[in-house]
Amino acid sequence: MKRKNLLFFSLFNTLLLCQFSLAQLGFEYDNSIPVFKSGVQLKYPWAGGLNYAQISDFDFDFDGDLDLLLFDRSHNNIRVLTQENDGQPYYQFYYNAEDKFPADIRYRATLVDYDNDGRKDLWTYGIGGLKVYRNVGDAVNGLQWELKSDLLYSEYVNGTSQLYVSSSDIPAIVDVDGDGDIDVLTFNQGGETVEYHQNQSMELYGVPDSLIYELKNECWGLFKEDFNTNFISLNDQSSPCVGGGIPNPLKTEAGKSAKHSGSTLLALDIDNSGVLDLILGDVSYPTMTLLKNGGSAPNTNSAMVTQDNFFPSNTTAIDIQLFPAAFFVDVDFDGVKDLVVCPNARNIPENETSVRFYKNNGTNILPNFVYASPNYFQKEMIEHGTGTIPVLFDVNEDGLKDLIIANTYRYIPTIDKESTIAYYRNTGTASAPVYTYVDYNYLDLDQQNYGLRSIPAFGDIDNDGDEDLFMGIENGTIVFYENTSTGSGAIFNTAQSNYPDNNGNPITTEGFSHPQLFDLDQDGLLDLILGSKSGKVHYYRNIGTSSSPSFQLENTQLGNVSVVGLNPNALAAPHFFRDDNTTYLFVGSVDGKLFFYDSIENNIGSGNSFNLVSPEFLGLNVEAYSSFCVEDIDGDGNLNMFVGQDLGGIFHFEVDPNSSASLNEVAQEQIALYPNPGTNEIVLSSSLEIETIRIVSIQGKEVLKQESHSSIETIDVTSLNSGTYLVFVEFSNGNRGLKKWIKL
């Protein structure tokens, strides 16, 4: 089944005309290319991967079925799997779901219905605590969010203070006392005891519609976790545990105890005793601990009486590299909630095996978790560690381009991390590609000691009919492999390190060379393009012959390209391509955006500049390690684009010839819109005179229109709901422009 979720600019079809008449390149997300692994077709291969998932269920599309939010801590990525049904239920990846969520989600995202209206609300990080967005969406308007609290507070004897939750922690957001409103269990600042913050909504108003908290117990469960280890002391009688439940305890002053490294909490009644038990994860340990509650309802004075330090002990125990977090959610459509365990760290994920699935063979009130999979969800995706780089190359020389996927790194238990190259053979046809997984370590790259982010580039530089290999490596140099194929598949046996330029000096960049072989000056010889750690692009022109290349350094900042952002190690990932005899340039970066340049042909000389059309073309931002490969892979005349990214997977796009979105969208710098995100008022300015401003919801509904005859205009947006909008601008000279804007 083929499904395409349009990028936001598909609305151009009716609302925006291009100001230029070049080739139409309206890319759309496309999941139609089949991918197979071990003889099984992957369900959502082009979903982009997962590293550090936090999993919640909710009705994303208001169709009555529970969908899944997969929030990834690595760079606050959002993945949504919608539940579909063609006789049997299944999940389908929903591209660009982040546009339907607030822009400021960080560190954690949990969906819990605090106001009992049947719509799960969003709990995320507020500075030192919890921020809550109320779900105000419906089937007509789609998902909408209203900021309910920028930071939750709790009442102590000595006054009110923020309800502290470390940015590294996952608290238990659950009805502890069974009165219908949502309470919070969280480790204190020292990380030794669990605080119970009771929601006073039912006590004060008799309805669960408020977020008013009071600290009821500084040592809920009567246990302490050792400050330096994950050792747990039960029935602790030292302060603040002495005496059990403490109504209105003394306020814990900020800074009195050191802030702990990190803990995760899952609270559920695992033995149907009527009180909540706890499953604990600790930042420095691979296992999780189950604490059984021997107290009684309503949980205010609970006491943990037993511990299982290798939970679940009836099956394969949880073993996550660092900092495991557990989630209780039904992921296999049987109506029974399962246990899913993922790492909660933000560095060095366990590649394609970081989502552990424990199937619940019991019931929701008396679960029986049995280990079933090390890579649930991930096994249905292309997934290869962190920071993927897609490259197309005909490995077996059958005339079909195979998919090669390098990465920035993947986790190896004994050596921490390494760079590898995965190989997916094209087992389809020239018009209908099919990719079949062959190897995660093509060319045995892990044995070469090249460091991280080793990137291949292929091209026939000696005119012998096969494509040779240039490998960019971490130290900035190039390793050359000649292809000695005899016609039945590529053979790369001998590596030449420190590949030289025309003067005999090693070709190099500032680090992390990202090569491409491309005839930039159109003289019939492949030139060498190198992205670099600095965010610049180096240009080595081939001044040799078709059979004997010689590369001369022409420019260390080709086109004045720079993709330096928040991270000074920008990791420029350039990819030149041609469409309709016009050269274009995409550049990825460590910040995850898609920089798009044109005006290439006459500006490759030193000091000349390419035209930056957009620093975030297609609104595409994969949060980190963006990398691109563009080619017509199926021979239909429409370009395909493969996008590598932080989470270890690949997105695939294809040009839709029916889209009026063009590579020549109005340059973003023509329009300034601020603040973005904003609340009640925004200002839009341009060097051109503005005639009309129209604000359109992400669903395509016009929600505001304002006339203008000025180059700057203030717009009252108080009446708009929180969410993502498109701001269309018509100028007095007939040109048009577009900005994406987020209402908080």
Side-chain angles (χ1 to χ4, degrees):
M1 178 181 180
K2 183 172 182 176
R3 171 171 176 166
K4 294 184 175 183
N5 293 320
L6 298 183
L7 296 168
F8 69 87
F9 53 82
S10 64
L11 295 169
F12 286 8
N13 288 339
T14 57
L15 299 174
L16 183 62
L17 300 174
C18 289
Q19 63 176 6
F20 303 106
S21 60
L22 296 183
Q24 302 297 301
L25 290 170
F27 284 97
E28 294 180 358
Y29 173 78
D30 176 33
N31 70 356
S32 66
I33 298 179
V35 180
F36 287 82
K37 189 173 185 178
S38 301
V40 178
Q41 184 173 352
L42 305 188
K43 294 177 181 177
Y44 19 91
W46 309 105
L50 284 173
N51 285 346
Y52 311 97
Q54 299 174 16
I55 302 172
S56 300
D57 60 4
F58 74 128
D59 191 355
F60 171 77
D61 48 12
F62 298 93
D63 65 352
D65 296 322
L66 286 177
D67 312 300
L68 295 179
L69 169 66
L70 310 177
F71 175 76
D72 201 294
R73 274 181 63 92
S74 44
H75 286 275
N76 305 313
N77 296 85
I78 288 173
R79 300 279 189 266
V80 168
L81 299 178
T82 61
Q83 185 178 159
E84 311 293 335
N85 199 317
D86 289 342
Q88 293 186 356
Y90 63 96
Y91 290 121
Q92 184 163 265
F93 174 66
Y94 188 99
Y95 175 72
N96 220 23
E98 61 268 18
D99 279 351
K100 298 185 180 292
F101 287 82
D104 59 348
I105 299 177
R106 294 189 295 160
Y107 301 125
R108 56 179 169 265
T110 303
L111 292 162
V112 178
D113 182 10
Y114 81 86
D115 56 1
N116 202 30
D117 66 352
R119 297 172 292 192
K120 291 194 175 182
D121 309 297
L122 176 64
W123 301 63
T124 185
Y125 176 74
I127 299 176
L130 292 167
K131 176 183 291 190
V132 181
Y133 285 93
R134 185 177 176 232
N135 186 345
V136 294
D138 55 45
V140 175
N141 298 300
L143 199 60
Q144 303 279 335
W145 303 101
E146 175 186 87
L147 181 61
K148 181 66 177 181
S149 176
D150 196 58
L151 185 63
L152 292 183
Y153 286 81
S154 192
E155 186 68 27
Y156 299 78
V157 164
N158 293 341
T160 300
S161 181
Q162 70 188 65
L163 200 167
Y164 176 76
V165 183
S166 165
S167 62
S168 60
D169 281 12
I170 295 181
I173 301 169
V174 63
D175 183 6
V176 174
D177 55 6
D179 65 351
D181 55 22
I182 299 299
D183 312 300
V184 176
L185 297 173
T186 180
F187 270 96
N188 69 0
Q189 290 193 30
E192 297 173 286
T193 64
V194 169
E195 296 177 346
Y196 166 42
H197 295 264
Q198 185 187 55
N199 192 338
Q200 299 298 296
S201 184
M202 291 299 293
E203 284 77 6
L204 294 174
Y205 309 116
V207 291
D209 62 354
S210 303
L211 297 168
I212 304 170
Y213 287 92
E214 186 174 292
L215 178 59
K216 285 294 185 181
N217 198 316
E218 283 189 295
C219 188
W220 189 84
L222 286 178
F223 71 93
K224 276 188 175 181
E225 184 175 43
D226 185 80
F227 184 78
N228 297 310
T229 72
N230 67 338
F231 175 79
I232 293 172
S233 174
L234 301 181
N235 194 28
D236 196 289
Q237 292 298 307
S238 60
S239 178
C241 296
V242 62
I246 307 170
N248 291 328
L250 294 177
K251 177 181 177 182
T252 302
E253 300 291 345
K256 257 191 179 182
S257 56
K259 295 182 179 180
H260 74 296
S261 298
S263 301
T264 65
L265 292 174
L266 174 63
L268 72 156
D269 184 1
I270 203 165
D271 53 4
N272 197 25
S273 64
V275 291
L276 294 176
D277 310 295
L278 284 179
I279 300 172
L280 305 183
D282 188 276
V283 67
S284 299
Y285 298 91
T287 59
M288 301 194 78
T289 297
L290 168 66
L291 298 179
K292 287 282 195 72
N293 194 341
S296 58
N299 274 298
T300 51
N301 293 302
S302 294
M304 303 303 170
V305 293
T306 65
Q307 58 182 306
D308 178 358
N309 295 314
F310 297 96
F311 172 79
S313 55
N314 66 304
T315 184
T316 302
I318 292 165
D319 186 8
I320 292 282
Q321 173 211 352
L322 285 176
F323 206 3
F327 307 92
F328 190 46
V329 58
D330 178 19
V331 296
D332 58 0
F333 310 108
D334 63 358
V336 180
K337 293 184 178 183
D338 309 292
L339 188 73
V340 184
V341 186
C342 308
N344 192 51
R346 299 185 76 194
N347 63 329
I348 319 179
E350 296 190 32
N351 312 312
E352 66 272 16
T353 58
S354 62
V355 183
R356 309 287 202 270
F357 172 51
Y358 289 79
K359 181 173 176 57
N360 186 355
N361 289 333
T363 65
N364 287 335
I365 61 173
L366 196 63
N368 175 27
F369 301 123
V370 178
Y371 179 72
S373 172
N375 57 350
Y376 206 76
F377 303 125
Q378 294 171 303
K379 65 183 179 181
E380 304 293 349
M381 306 176 181
I382 292 173
E383 166 59 78
H384 294 285
T386 293
T388 47
I389 302 102
V391 180
L392 293 168
F393 169 58
D394 185 3
V395 176
N396 59 339
E397 299 181 337
D398 63 351
L400 304 176
K401 287 293 183 74
D402 307 302
L403 180 62
I404 304 298
I405 304 174
N407 57 24
T408 300
Y409 58 82
R410 74 190 301 271
Y411 169 70
I412 298 294
T414 57
I415 62 174
D416 199 26
K417 51 189 177 182
E418 67 181 9
S419 181
T420 56
I421 295 176
Y423 166 31
Y424 289 77
R425 180 176 294 155
N426 188 344
T427 56
T429 66
S431 60
V434 176
Y435 293 115
T436 299
Y437 172 79
V438 178
D439 190 5
Y440 83 91
N441 194 22
Y442 178 60
L443 302 177
D444 294 324
L445 191 64
D446 63 335
Q447 303 300 312
Q448 310 308 315
N449 297 315
Y450 292 152
L452 305 183
R453 200 172 168 86
S454 299
I455 302 171
F458 300 94
D460 185 3
I461 65 160
D462 52 10
N463 200 32
D464 64 352
D466 53 38
E467 293 191 66
D468 308 292
L469 167 61
F470 281 53
M471 186 83 72
I473 62 177
E474 183 177 356
N475 68 12
T477 64
I478 296 295
V479 180
F480 172 66
Y481 292 80
E482 182 182 0
N483 189 348
T484 59
S485 168
T486 58
S488 57
I491 300 174
F492 301 109
N493 287 327
T494 305
Q496 178 185 352
S497 299
N498 296 308
Y499 189 84
D501 64 12
N502 62 306
N503 294 316
N505 300 315
I507 292 174
T508 188
T509 70
E510 299 88 345
F512 293 106
S513 290
H514 187 121
Q516 183 190 11
L517 291 165
F518 184 82
D519 184 6
L520 186 61
D521 58 1
Q522 303 188 61
D523 64 352
L525 303 176
L526 291 174
D527 306 303
L528 180 60
I529 313 298
L530 296 174
S532 71
K533 175 182 176 181
S534 69
K536 301 175 183 178
V537 177
H538 296 221
Y539 169 38
Y540 285 83
R541 185 166 66 92
N542 190 346
I543 60 171
T545 66
S546 59
S547 60
S548 181
S550 179
F551 296 102
Q552 175 177 285
L553 179 61
E554 295 287 335
N555 201 330
T556 58
Q557 191 175 2
L558 178 63
N560 280 322
V561 168
S562 177
V563 295
V564 174
L566 297 176
N567 191 331
N569 296 328
L571 304 182
H575 184 80
F576 286 94
F577 66 101
R578 289 196 174 96
D579 182 69
D580 197 23
N581 296 316
T582 300
T583 304
Y584 302 101
L585 171 64
F586 286 156
V587 187
S589 74
V590 73
D591 287 339
K593 298 180 181 179
L594 170 51
F595 291 77
F596 168 59
Y597 295 85
D598 65 6
S599 299
I600 308 295
E601 278 85 357
N602 298 316
N603 292 300
I604 63 175
S606 181
N608 293 343
S609 299
F610 301 154
N611 176 49
L612 177 60
V613 178
S614 175
E616 198 170 335
F617 184 61
L618 308 185
L620 183 66
N621 187 342
V622 298
E623 303 298 340
Y625 300 119
S626 53
S627 181
F628 308 89
C629 182
V630 179
E631 192 169 324
D632 181 7
I633 194 68
D634 52 9
D636 62 357
N638 301 317
L639 291 173
N640 302 81
M641 179 169 67
F642 299 87
V643 181
Q645 58 197 289
D646 174 47
L647 300 190
I650 302 290
F651 287 156
H652 172 247
F653 301 86
E654 187 170 9
V655 167
D656 181 357
N658 298 314
S659 174
S660 59
S662 163
L663 275 175
N664 292 284
E665 62 176 301
V666 176
Q668 296 292 312
E669 62 266 22
Q670 283 191 335
I671 307 170
L673 190 155
Y674 56 92
N676 191 5
T679 52
N680 298 322
E681 190 176 84
I682 56 174
V683 178
L684 193 147
S685 66
S686 174
S687 59
L688 303 175
E689 184 181 77
I690 300 168
E691 188 171 276
T692 306
I693 301 166
R694 303 167 66 216
I695 299 180
V696 178
S697 72
I698 202 68
Q699 291 80 28
K701 180 181 179 182
E702 182 178 299
V703 295
L704 190 149
K705 183 176 181 179
Q706 186 165 315
E707 304 293 330
S708 174
H709 295 285
S710 173
S711 61
I712 185 168
E713 193 71 32
T714 300
I715 308 163
D716 184 356
V717 291
T718 306
S719 63
L720 301 185
N721 294 324
S722 60
T724 301
Y725 295 89
L726 307 178
V727 181
F728 294 89
V729 182
E730 294 186 11
F731 299 102
S732 57
N733 66 355
N735 287 349
R736 292 175 168 87
L738 169 69
K739 279 287 189 180
K740 185 167 66 172
W741 177 71
I742 296 171
K743 168 73 181 288
L744 297 177

